Amino acid sequence: MAPQEKETSKFQRPLGRTVSLFINGEKYTLSATVSPHTRLVDFIRDVVNAKGTKVLCREGGCGACTVVATVPDLTNKDGTRTFSVQACQQLVFACSGWSVETIEYLGNRHKGYHKLQRSLAGFYGTQCGYCSPGMVMAAYGELKKTGTLTVEQVGRALDGNLCRCTGYRPIVDAFKAVADDAPAELKQHLVDIEEAYQKYCPTSGAPCKKTCGGACDVKGLTTKPVIEVLVDTGTVKWYQPIDLKRTYAIMAQPNDGGRTLLVCGNTGAGVYKNDGPYTRYISLTSVPELQGITATRDKVEIYSGVSLARCIDLFLKVSAPGPDYLPGYQYLQEVAKHWQLVANSGVRNNGTWAGNLALKRRHPEFPSDIFVTLAACDAELTVGVAKTEAVERFPVADLLKHDLEGKLLLSVVLPKLDDSTYVRTYKITPRAVNAHAYVNAAFRLPVDPHDDFKVKGTCSIVFGGISDTFVSATETQQFLQGKSLKDISVVQQAIAKLAVEVVPKADKKQGSEAYRKGLVASLFYKTVVWLLKDEVPPALRTAGEKVVRAVGKGQQEFDPNRDSWPIGEAIPKIESNIQVSGEAEYGADILPAHGELQGVFVLTNVANAKIDNIDASDALAVPGVVTFVSAEDIESENTFVQTRSSFADKIFAAGRTDYAGQPIGLIVAKTREIGLEAAKLVRVQYSDRKKPILTIQDAIKHVERVLVPLDFETGKTSPFRLQEGAEIGIISSSKHRIAGDIDIGTQFHFAMEALHATIVPTEDGYDVTATTQHVTETQSVVANVLGVPANSINMSLRRIGGGFGGKITRGNLVACATAVAVRKIQKPVRVTLDLQTNMKVVGWREPYYASYEAGFNDEGVLDALKVDLYGDPGYVNNDSAVTMAAHMIPNVYASQSYDINAKSVKTDTAANTYCRTPGLTEGIAVIENIMDHIAVELGKDPLLVREANFKPDVKGGEANELKNKIMPVLKEKASLEMRKQQVLDFNNANRWVKRGLAVCPLRYPFSYPPPFRYATQVIIYAHDGTVAITHGGVEMGQGINTKAAQVAAGILGVPLSLVKVKPNTTVGSANSFVTGGSFGSDVVCHGIKVCCERLRHRIDAVKKSLPKPQEWDALVRTCLAMDMDLSERYWTAAREHPDGYVIWAAAALEVEVDALTGMFKVRKVELDALTGMFKVREVELDPLTGMFKVREVELDPLTGMFKVREVELDPLTGMFKVREVELDALTGMFKVRKVELDALTGMFEVREVVLDALTGMFEVREVELDALTGMFKVRKVELDALTGMFKVRKVELDALNGMFKILRADIVEDAGQSLSPYVDVGQVEGAFIMGLGLYSTEELKFNEDTGEKDVTGTWEYKLPTALDIPEDLRVYFLSNASNPYGVLRSKATGEPPLCVSYVIVSALRQAISAVRSDAGVNGWFPMHTPLTVEKIQQLCLVKPEQFKLQ
């Protein structure tokens, strides 16, 4: 134990030496043996061994580590507060007196599941399951915080939780179903889920004991601090004072040159990860003087320990009518909305406003939303001086002028503002939530609307994200005094002054200077338009609105296929329950072996440089460091790839660095914390540094860097040129010709589980645990590194937390580096990467660049197309898919001549690798870009150009299902013609907010490459007839185990509850190939099918020989008694693979863009779920074609709620159809979801009608009336009889900022006869949303001098969140589409939807083109992806001189 500081005369009261907290009801006491640097997540996982709490980003940005804390309320004698918190940021010592709940406490298979867990599982809201515990705890925290849950709260609760697999829609629906104001259909589906749990236990299959419910109350476990605490480890001191006076005294003590951190939530560590190290921590959480709020008619004062969430609650209460309303504080409504965009709920719950301002003071460049809004509102800070206890006061706006060393922020005082002072704020971000601002702004304008909107008195214009010195536009503020904002000349002069005094400083992480400068002008203009409201013409008013994204919803349609159940039955994944309870075990969750050590990578920080020397002496001198390994310690070939790769991919850099971020060695230490500190001490000397080549365009300039491409099937390089039809020379005779190019960026896989490996020496070799999609390859490369035969490597893999291709070969880097260390020291070693290291050390999706030339006729029909396609595999050409991309380019389109050349280039970047739908996605992007180019050139509708180029109905014996089936369904379901006109009308009526509606078709050839072979085995246990499956595939969220279990249950004729899937092992599944490309699920199910058919054949033979029938378990025992083998193994030999087939799909997407900021959103999603109390399902009557059908009818006699789900009546083609009708007799609420009437083409159609008799609210969504071309169409209309409010909603783009939202997306896919519809719907939605991220928010930037990635964490890298998905996401599986090929009439679903996600680019093009057209600029312009908010705004060509007020 480290020495403790002796008490001195300064301490007049008892001094505690430990800190205590409760976790899951058990008390833990922390002394000096625990490092004060320890985060709560590590304590939970490593000490409490509660592995359900996951860890990835370690910066509060992914939500995997979310837990719920109940803490003492120091302002209320017996009170507590409960909230969710990101455990990866929270220091465990700062949890003194807390009671923490993890997912294990909420529910599990032994004591039952909590309602939130049951809902998430039942709504099929899990795939890989790694994010699921964090999702549940985020919702649970919100529920416990307020005692109730609303739909709005659900959206807010999930704003910090990421998921790569699901596309979020089912997760959102699951928690919305628990909300008090949930839609009736979601509530009813939850009732159905609860009924299923009540009937039987999903774990044991036995009758439910009704023990499910929730966690016990933990409020009584919290303890308020009563004595001061000092924990001294000898190198670090942790202070926990319990009053302000002692806080001052501790701050005033010298710290011997060390650094001090004042601690509340420690949330700033997620932004500035390299601050520190600190030798003294002073926790402020137990100081009651800092926890209070004063809110009276005279003053609102908030003390520094108050969290952002508490501030927001206060702001909303005092600014809105009600008992807490305070006149003069209406502006806090605007501030509250802005603060709700700060970080995420877990950060806002725990982080304080004062901590945010302190971070701004330490890092003046930080774009603090708290600083910007408080400064603009003229708030005042009070600051205490530690040595003198004096109090200073100054405006928040002057914060950067004051040194806070030795001082403590005490409170902020918010001023009263009169009714004529308006406050408007903005935050322009890369995505909807949980993102820092490119630019944030706040305007305080005292304006008299009755005097030409003149500025009366001093105004405030504050911007963040500009530079480390800029605060407010003082000259512009002075200029505006006394000026009328209705005068456009005043507005233009003000913008001109802003351009002079607001000068952005170069900062790649904040966006370009040009973009931020444009935002300054745009946001000022937006504020003026917002102020003037009806004083400006209708076409300009939307410029004053913000892009607000609603919580999404969805709709899914598929055939039930009841005749084949359980094959084809829509069920949640069989692992769902253990995933939502945190019981599902992943690699890093396995308990450590005795004496296990931790490995931490040392990385290069320059690309393409000679390594002169690696000096690890300082690191090795650190206590607890065991060894350092590098390339010199590798006794075999320095490579972590083998089976199908042509070139070595180094484990450790040797000779020269190949890329920045390349591992140069591995520190092996007793703990991860020691390893991290030691790794920083390794010194590397470089020479002969060359400027790195980082892009395809730069590489093409160097002939030696242009490479022969890789053939995927052979793994060898060979020249590639695809030529179809006539010679390309015919292009010269085409009437129209175009040329252009497209650059398609990379994408990080972002599996929620980072790369991991553990290797333990054993009696017969080594036990290896690794995150891999290819167990056989991992076994091989690790055996090579360890210098042992393959049968010495024992691997068992139950699941991985997402893969997407990123764990096919890249995971072996970690496994092999671990093996190098184990071979050297012969002790167990574990290496688990954090997100930042993971993003640095491995490559991402392969980037592409294509130049093209096309010839076509007046209708846009292709004569010839020539494409030069380049892929960037990184520094070594192993995992390239460029030839697959080339094959995909023709898509559904015919041409007299295709000439496609494919090549690779070498860049000084990490070796890129396969990523979901590799190459195929980019091939589709190339041809769809060309189709858009042709349409622009001819001035035609892009959809008509596409349809004109569709391949003939039949070509080579292949029916064009896209033309014959997919497109007609899409047009009908998505109401394309009606919505196209609505988009046109909207764009004509709005100058700065624009919409786009586009379609992307797909022909996806799917066949089974010979290498994709797997061992499969089915075992029946004679003990009770239960069934075990093992196979060589890897479960990573795609549902391979669920489908395999359904196939086994269906063919064997047993309940699904009797089937379990066992781990993939190097014994039972030896020599199996990689799982990827959707091949694994198909081929494994094929193998299980064969095994079960053979078993069933043998069992049936015995069954027939018996004198009387036997129950399944007895029959199995009889079979064994008759010497029958109750197991079957099958190798899915290539010669026996199922026949290939074509997957057809199309997507329509509608987008809305704010051209002034570049921001956009996805807006409308619907879900068709089950509802009602009394139900009749599938009733048919056809007495000679009366043809009456009722699929589902529901009646609740208590409420009068009546619903009909699919009714058809065709007494000789009256053709009346109702898809869903609702009538609530108590409220008069009447709804019709889809009604069709064609009494000989009266053709009346209503998609959704809502009438509330109590309020007069009338709403119609998608109405069509032809009546022989009366042709009345409305997409969404709302009429409130009380207010006269009328709305028509669509997807829009705001040209002033480039922000956009996706209002609706419709996807129609031919999935054959789905093996598991919920699994397949999840695959479609997840792939599609991943594609939206690829083409919009996910961007990689490099340091051009060093080659380092500038984007290595959630702070910089922005995949879509739950609030970035389409507001209306609809998925339709083609009906009656049984596949004669493939496996059991099904088709693969995991990859194709990502291809059609390019539709977002086409839709954005339409919206951007509408903005440019209004500016008088027409014609083609390139749109390279990803289309970030910044790029969108820049493409809109917004110029201040275009700003008008009339």
Side-chain angles (χ1 to χ4, degrees):
M1 179 177 291
Q4 298 291 301
E5 181 180 284
K6 294 182 179 180
E7 292 188 34
T8 68
S9 59
K10 294 182 180 180
F11 294 101
Q12 301 299 322
R13 60 186 98 182
L15 187 64
R17 300 296 186 176
T18 61
V19 165
S20 296
L21 73 157
F22 286 85
I23 299 178
N24 295 337
E26 294 188 19
K27 187 176 182 180
Y28 292 85
T29 300
L30 287 63
S31 65
T33 58
V34 179
S35 168
H37 303 311
T38 303
R39 304 293 174 92
L40 177 60
V41 68
D42 295 314
F43 190 84
I44 288 172
R45 288 179 58 83
D46 299 339
V47 178
V48 182
N49 282 326
K51 303 293 188 178
T53 301
K54 306 304 179 188
V55 62
L56 173 64
C57 72
R58 294 185 175 273
E59 56 188 12
C62 73
C65 66
T66 305
V67 297
V68 171
T70 299
V71 307
D73 183 353
L74 301 187
T75 65
N76 185 338
K77 182 179 179 182
D78 297 315
T80 60
R81 297 191 183 96
T82 299
F83 48 82
S84 63
V85 62
Q86 310 283 23
C88 71
Q89 293 182 306
Q90 180 68 25
L91 294 168
V92 69
F93 273 86
C95 299
S96 176
W98 285 23
S99 180
V100 177
E101 295 172 82
T102 73
I103 190 69
E104 288 87 354
Y105 198 63
L106 204 59
N108 55 50
R109 67 186 185 276
H110 302 297
K111 71 176 185 180
Y113 299 100
H114 187 276
K115 189 173 186 176
L116 288 167
Q117 294 171 316
R118 297 194 297 269
S119 187
L120 185 59
F123 272 89
Y124 58 99
T126 74
Q127 287 192 27
C128 85
Y130 199 84
C131 75
S132 300
M135 293 284 183
V136 171
M137 295 308 288
Y140 176 61
E142 193 69 23
L143 178 62
K144 288 203 70 174
K145 179 180 178 181
T146 62
T148 186
L149 200 62
T150 65
V151 169
E152 182 184 356
Q153 283 178 277
V154 168
R156 188 162 62 243
L158 298 181
D159 64 1
N161 290 70
L162 299 179
C163 174
R164 180 60 105 182
C165 297
T166 66
Y168 298 102
R169 196 275 313 157
I171 299 173
V172 172
D173 280 349
F175 297 142
K176 281 167 58 179
V178 181
D180 293 346
D181 58 344
E185 60 268 23
L186 294 185
K187 283 188 174 182
Q188 183 55 47
H189 189 44
L190 181 58
V191 169
D192 294 341
I193 292 169
E194 297 288 65
E195 287 177 353
Y197 275 86
Q198 291 170 10
K199 290 176 183 177
Y200 65 92
C201 173
T203 300
S204 67
C208 176
K209 298 178 182 178
K210 297 187 177 180
T211 57
C212 301
C216 300
D217 187 20
V218 296
K219 289 185 177 180
L221 301 180
T222 61
T223 55
K224 290 186 178 181
V226 294
I227 62 171
E228 185 176 314
V229 173
L230 166 61
V231 178
D232 186 356
T233 69
T235 56
V236 181
K237 295 178 181 179
W238 179 275
Y239 290 92
Q240 181 184 298
I242 58 173
D243 59 42
L244 183 58
K245 190 174 186 64
R246 283 297 306 146
T247 303
Y248 283 148
I250 295 167
M251 290 177 64
Q253 293 176 14
N255 193 22
D256 300 327
R259 302 186 66 187
T260 297
L261 181 68
L262 303 178
V263 178
C264 278
N266 197 45
T267 54
V271 181
Y272 293 98
K273 295 171 273 291
N274 296 319
D275 280 6
Y278 298 102
T279 58
R280 181 169 67 177
Y281 291 93
I282 305 175
S283 173
L284 304 179
T285 57
S286 300
V287 181
E289 295 96 324
L290 303 181
Q291 299 297 320
I293 294 173
T294 300
T296 67
R297 289 182 172 269
D298 299 321
K299 182 173 72 170
V300 171
E301 184 171 12
I302 307 171
Y303 292 88
S304 57
V306 176
S307 69
L308 297 176
R310 288 179 62 200
C311 291
I312 293 168
D313 291 341
L314 171 70
F315 295 167
L316 293 174
K317 287 178 182 178
V318 303
S319 63
D324 298 310
Y325 172 74
L326 295 177
Y329 291 97
Q330 297 93 325
Y331 70 93
L332 290 179
Q333 189 83 209
E334 178 76 359
V335 177
K337 292 177 182 177
H338 191 115
W339 285 24
Q340 284 174 339
L341 298 177
V342 174
N344 55 63
S345 58
V347 171
R348 295 191 298 271
N349 287 336
N350 202 30
T352 65
W353 65 265
N356 190 283
L357 291 186
L359 194 67
K360 172 69 175 179
R361 184 61 189 85
R362 291 201 303 272
H363 299 276
E365 76 284 358
F366 174 51
S368 166
D369 295 290
I370 310 307
F371 175 76
V372 167
T373 50
L374 292 179
C377 296
D378 203 21
E380 184 182 69
L381 290 174
T382 61
V383 178
V385 181
K387 288 185 176 180
T388 65
E389 298 186 19
V391 174
E392 300 176 351
R393 292 179 174 84
F394 54 84
V396 171
D398 290 343
L399 175 67
L400 300 185
K401 300 176 183 177
H402 291 263
D403 184 3
L404 295 184
E405 186 66 31
K407 298 178 181 179
L408 177 65
L409 290 174
L410 296 177
S411 69
V412 62
V413 178
L414 304 176
K416 271 188 172 184
L417 299 179
D418 59 44
D419 292 344
S420 62
T421 298
Y422 298 86
V423 172
R424 187 69 162 172
T425 70
Y426 297 93
K427 183 175 185 177
I428 310 305
T429 55
R431 66 181 178 201
V433 291
N434 201 17
H436 66 86
Y438 288 119
V439 168
N440 44 14
F443 302 85
R444 177 176 53 82
L445 298 168
V447 171
D448 187 351
H450 305 293
D451 188 13
D452 283 337
F453 288 86
K454 286 183 180 177
V455 178
K456 305 289 187 177
T458 303
C459 64
S460 182
I461 302 175
V462 181
F463 290 102
I466 302 301
S467 71
D468 55 357
T469 58
F470 181 84
V471 175
S472 62
T474 54
E475 293 183 13
T476 307
Q477 292 169 182
Q478 293 173 2
F479 165 77
L480 286 174
Q481 291 188 41
K483 303 290 197 310
S484 170
L485 293 179
K486 287 182 67 176
D487 186 341
I488 188 60
S489 65
V490 170
V491 174
Q492 289 289 1
Q493 289 179 69
I495 290 173
K497 288 185 176 295
L498 287 172
V500 173
E501 66 173 323
V502 186
V503 180
K505 183 179 180 180
D507 184 346
K508 290 176 67 175
K509 295 181 180 180
Q510 287 299 124
S512 68
E513 296 99 302
Y515 175 52
R516 286 180 283 147
K517 199 172 189 67
L519 285 179
V520 169
S522 292
L523 295 179
F524 177 74
Y525 175 63
K526 286 176 73 69
T527 301
V528 172
V529 173
W530 168 76
L531 270 173
L532 298 180
K533 293 182 172 62
D534 293 345
E535 298 292 326
V536 300
L540 299 179
R541 290 175 195 165
T542 49
E545 298 176 2
K546 299 181 184 180
V547 175
V548 179
R549 296 169 173 89
V551 179
K553 56 181 179 177
Q555 176 179 312
Q556 309 84 42
E557 292 185 11
F558 48 80
D559 292 339
N561 299 318
R562 287 179 173 84
D563 58 338
S564 65
W565 285 7
I567 299 173
E569 183 178 3
I571 62 170
K573 286 188 59 185
I574 59 175
E575 301 96 340
S576 291
N577 287 304
I578 60 170
Q579 289 174 336
V580 300
S581 62
E583 296 168 284
E585 189 177 65
Y586 301 82
D589 298 337
I590 297 174
L591 294 177
H594 178 70
E596 185 177 282
L597 303 171
Q598 295 276 347
V600 176
F601 275 126
V602 178
L603 307 181
T604 61
N605 56 18
V606 294
N608 200 356
K610 183 177 181 293
I611 302 170
D612 290 333
N613 185 51
I614 302 172
D615 183 359
S617 57
D618 289 346
L620 291 170
V622 174
V625 172
V626 175
T627 190
F628 172 75
V629 295
S630 64
E632 294 180 355
D633 297 290
I634 301 174
E635 299 182 33
S636 59
E637 185 182 2
N638 184 7
T639 182
F640 62 88
V641 296
Q642 178 181 352
T643 306
R644 294 167 46 78
S645 301
S646 299
F647 308 100
D649 201 344
K650 297 173 187 173
I651 303 169
F652 296 122
R656 294 188 68 86
T657 64
D658 300 295
Y659 62 94
Q662 185 175 23
I664 204 166
L666 185 79
I667 288 286
V668 181
K670 291 183 178 179
T671 69
R672 179 176 179 274
E673 184 178 319
I674 294 172
L676 288 170
E677 291 305 312
K680 298 174 184 177
L681 301 178
V682 177
R683 296 189 299 272
V684 183
Q685 294 179 344
Y686 304 100
S687 64
D688 189 28
R689 292 177 54 172
K690 299 185 184 298
K691 184 174 177 61
I693 302 299
L694 304 172
T695 67
I696 295 175
Q697 291 89 329
D698 286 341
I700 292 173
K701 300 173 185 176
H702 303 269
V703 63
E704 73 278 6
R705 287 181 175 265
V706 179
L707 311 174
V708 175
L710 183 79
D711 183 279
F712 171 75
E713 290 198 10
T714 66
K716 306 301 179 184
T717 57
S718 60
F720 181 91
R721 184 178 183 184
L722 174 65
Q723 293 177 294
E724 292 183 4
E727 287 294 324
I728 193 63
I730 67 170
I731 197 171
S732 60
S733 60
S734 295
K735 184 172 182 180
H736 303 278
R737 293 173 64 180
I738 58 171
D741 64 353
I742 178 174
D743 189 14
I744 305 166
T746 185
Q747 180 179 40
F748 182 56
H749 303 79
F750 218 109
M752 293 299 291
E753 178 196 27
L755 298 179
H756 164 89
T758 301
I759 301 180
V760 181
T762 64
E763 64 181 35
D764 72 336
Y766 299 88
D767 288 348
V768 178
T769 301
T771 47
T772 179
Q773 294 174 237
H774 195 177
V775 174
T776 301
E777 175 81 351
T778 302
Q779 177 191 28
S780 297
V781 294
V782 170
N784 282 346
V785 173
L786 289 171
V788 298
N791 65 358
S792 295
I793 304 299
N794 310 309
M795 292 189 67
S796 177
L797 183 64
R798 187 177 289 277
R799 65 179 61 85
I800 58 175
F804 314 110
K807 297 172 182 175
I808 294 177
T809 58
R810 301 303 91 187
N812 293 339
L813 167 60
V814 180
C816 287
T818 306
V820 174
V822 171
R823 184 171 187 176
K824 181 176 181 179
I825 62 177
Q826 285 301 309
K827 291 184 179 181
V829 176
R830 174 181 301 232
V831 178
T832 302
L833 303 189
D834 56 53
L835 178 62
Q836 291 75 29
T837 303
N838 202 151
M839 295 180 79
K840 291 175 183 178
V841 301
V842 299
W844 303 2
R845 180 187 290 274
E846 185 178 18
Y848 287 84
Y849 172 77
S851 61
Y852 58 85
E853 185 178 0
F856 48 92
N857 64 18
D858 288 338
E859 300 304 314
V861 176
L862 281 170
D863 298 323
L865 176 62
K866 186 179 188 308
V867 178
D868 289 317
L869 180 68
Y870 296 88
D872 175 12
Y875 90 95
V876 61
N877 188 16
N878 282 331
D879 292 358
S880 174
V882 67
T883 58
M884 292 193 288
H887 277 296
M888 200 67 176
I889 286 176
N891 195 13
V892 298
Y893 307 117
S895 176
Q896 296 180 48
S897 175
Y898 278 113
D899 189 352
I900 303 170
N901 287 276
K903 297 178 181 179
S904 296
V905 299
K906 179 182 178 180
T907 56
D908 299 320
T909 63
N912 292 308
T913 189
Y914 309 114
C915 186
R916 195 173 197 167
T917 329
L920 309 176
T921 294
E922 292 78 11
I924 293 299
V926 171
I927 190 63
E928 295 305 311
N929 178 78
I930 292 168
M931 288 293 137
D932 285 336
H933 196 164
I934 293 171
V936 170
E937 186 73 13
L938 296 176
K940 287 183 172 292
D941 182 335
L943 179 56
L944 293 180
V945 170
R946 284 171 167 83
E947 290 180 321
N949 280 283
F950 282 172
K951 292 179 178 179
D953 286 352
V954 179
K955 184 176 182 180
E958 176 191 330
N960 190 332
E961 300 291 353
L962 179 83
K963 182 177 180 180
N964 301 333
K965 295 181 180 179
I966 297 289
M967 285 306 299
V969 171
L970 182 65
K971 288 181 177 181
E972 186 270 329
K973 297 287 189 182
S975 304
L976 282 182
E977 293 304 316
M978 175 183 68
R979 290 166 60 200
K980 282 197 294 185
Q981 184 59 48
Q982 290 175 346
V983 168
L984 181 61
D985 293 343
F986 181 90
N987 288 345
N988 288 337
N990 290 275
R991 173 63 179 92
W992 294 112
V993 178
K994 300 292 184 179
R995 297 171 178 170
L997 173 64
V999 171
C1000 181
L1002 175 67
R1003 176 184 180 273
Y1004 193 99
F1006 190 88
S1007 59
Y1008 303 96
F1012 283 83
R1013 295 165 296 190
Y1014 307 91
T1016 58
Q1017 187 171 8
V1018 178
I1019 301 167
I1020 304 172
Y1021 294 101
H1023 172 70
D1024 54 8
T1026 54
V1027 179
I1029 293 172
T1030 182
H1031 59 76
V1034 175
E1035 173 61 63
M1036 50 191 155
Q1038 83 280 41
I1040 188 173
N1041 287 347
T1042 300
K1043 288 185 174 182
Q1046 287 180 272
V1047 169
I1051 295 176
L1052 292 176
V1054 300
L1056 186 59
S1057 60
L1058 295 187
V1059 182
K1060 286 191 175 182
V1061 182
K1062 300 299 181 179
N1064 177 341
T1065 70
T1066 46
V1067 176
S1069 305
N1071 303 314
S1072 294
F1073 198 57
V1074 63
T1075 304
S1078 294
F1079 302 118
S1081 293
D1082 266 30
V1083 179
V1084 163
C1085 285
H1086 164 66
I1088 297 298
K1089 170 179 171 288
V1090 172
C1091 288
C1092 291
E1093 286 173 342
R1094 292 174 178 176
L1095 283 168
R1096 183 65 182 264
H1097 178 74
R1098 298 202 292 267
I1099 292 170
D1100 284 348
V1102 172
K1103 185 177 180 180
K1104 290 178 182 178
S1105 69
L1106 299 177
K1108 61 180 181 178
Q1110 292 182 344
E1111 293 297 324
W1112 170 257
D1113 55 348
L1115 176 60
V1116 169
R1117 286 192 290 271
T1118 299
C1119 290
L1120 182 64
M1122 297 179 67
D1123 210 20
M1124 191 190 110
D1125 185 359
L1126 291 176
S1127 65
E1128 185 67 38
R1129 187 180 187 277
Y1130 174 69
W1131 175 254
T1132 60
R1135 63 182 177 275
E1136 298 174 13
H1137 277 171
D1139 293 333
Y1141 50 86
V1142 174
I1143 302 166
W1144 304 90
L1149 180 140
E1150 196 175 354
V1151 66
E1152 176 180 291
V1153 182
D1154 181 336
L1156 293 177
T1157 64
M1159 297 188 76
F1160 70 97
K1161 79 174 183 179
V1162 182
R1163 184 167 178 187
K1164 181 181 175 187
V1165 184
E1166 295 184 357
L1167 169 67
D1168 184 6
L1170 304 177
T1171 60
M1173 299 291 290
F1174 171 76
K1175 300 181 182 180
V1176 180
R1177 295 178 180 170
E1178 293 195 356
V1179 179
E1180 295 187 15
L1181 170 63
D1182 184 355
L1184 298 178
T1185 67
M1187 201 192 105
F1188 175 68
K1189 293 185 180 180
V1190 180
R1191 287 293 175 87
E1192 182 177 356
V1193 180
E1194 303 169 16
L1195 172 64
D1196 184 347
L1198 297 178
T1199 65
M1201 178 67 77
F1202 173 76
K1203 295 188 180 183
V1204 181
R1205 282 290 176 93
E1206 278 195 35
V1207 178
E1208 293 186 19
L1209 170 64
D1210 182 2
L1212 300 179
T1213 67
M1215 201 192 105
F1216 175 67
K1217 295 184 180 181
V1218 181
R1219 290 292 175 88
E1220 183 178 65
V1221 179
E1222 297 180 21
L1223 172 63
D1224 188 330
L1226 297 180
T1227 65
M1229 179 68 76
F1230 175 71
K1231 292 186 181 181
V1232 181
R1233 283 292 172 86
K1234 181 174 181 182
V1235 180
E1236 297 180 16
L1237 171 62
D1238 182 355
L1240 299 179
T1241 67
M1243 200 194 106
F1244 175 67
E1245 176 178 336
V1246 180
R1247 286 295 177 89
E1248 183 175 22
V1249 180
V1250 182
L1251 172 63
D1252 189 331
L1254 297 180
T1255 65
M1257 175 65 79
F1258 176 69
E1259 178 176 321
V1260 182
R1261 295 180 181 170
E1262 296 192 34
V1263 178
E1264 294 187 18
L1265 170 62
D1266 192 322
L1268 299 180
T1269 68
M1271 203 188 102
F1272 173 66
K1273 296 183 180 181
V1274 180
R1275 180 176 178 275
K1276 179 175 180 183
V1277 179
E1278 296 176 19
L1279 174 63
D1280 188 331
L1282 299 179
T1283 65
M1285 183 170 287
F1286 176 87
K1287 297 181 183 177
V1288 179
R1289 295 185 182 175
K1290 286 209 169 188
V1291 184
E1292 302 170 358
L1293 175 148
D1294 185 331
L1296 296 176
N1297 54 34
M1299 296 181 73
F1300 69 94
K1301 60 184 178 182
I1302 304 173
L1303 301 182
R1304 175 171 165 179
D1306 296 73
I1307 306 167
V1308 179
E1309 181 167 337
D1310 172 15
Q1313 186 170 315
S1314 172
L1315 291 177
S1316 190
Y1318 282 172
V1319 168
D1320 286 337
V1321 166
Q1323 288 294 287
V1324 169
E1325 292 176 336
F1328 186 72
I1329 300 304
M1330 185 172 181
L1332 296 186
L1334 167 66
Y1335 291 122
S1336 60
T1337 61
E1338 299 181 46
E1339 182 179 31
L1340 171 61
K1341 295 180 180 179
F1342 288 100
N1343 181 312
E1344 296 178 359
D1345 295 325
T1346 66
E1348 292 176 287
K1349 291 172 180 170
D1350 283 337
V1351 180
T1352 57
T1354 57
W1355 179 253
E1356 298 93 4
Y1357 191 77
K1358 301 300 180 183
L1359 68 159
T1361 69
L1363 289 177
D1364 291 288
I1365 68 174
E1367 289 185 343
D1368 187 351
L1369 177 58
R1370 307 184 184 193
V1371 175
Y1372 315 94
F1373 285 168
L1374 199 62
S1375 184
N1376 298 317
S1378 179
N1379 178 20
Y1381 311 105
V1383 180
L1384 292 170
R1385 304 181 297 282
S1386 69
K1387 289 188 177 182
T1389 56
E1391 309 283 315
L1394 204 147
C1395 294
V1396 297
S1397 63
Y1398 186 80
V1399 69
I1400 191 174
V1401 180
S1402 296
L1404 284 170
R1405 175 177 293 283
Q1406 293 186 26
I1408 295 168
S1409 295
V1411 180
R1412 294 164 67 103
S1413 180
D1414 284 352
V1417 180
N1418 294 294
W1420 177 256
F1421 54 95
M1423 285 176 49
H1424 305 302
T1425 62
L1427 284 172
T1428 61
V1429 170
E1430 175 182 353
K1431 291 179 183 177
I1432 290 170
Q1433 197 266 355
Q1434 298 290 285
L1435 286 170
C1436 286
L1437 304 180
V1438 177
K1439 298 179 181 179
E1441 53 265 31
Q1442 299 166 350
F1443 298 162
K1444 309 293 181 186
L1445 296 179
Q1446 294 298 326

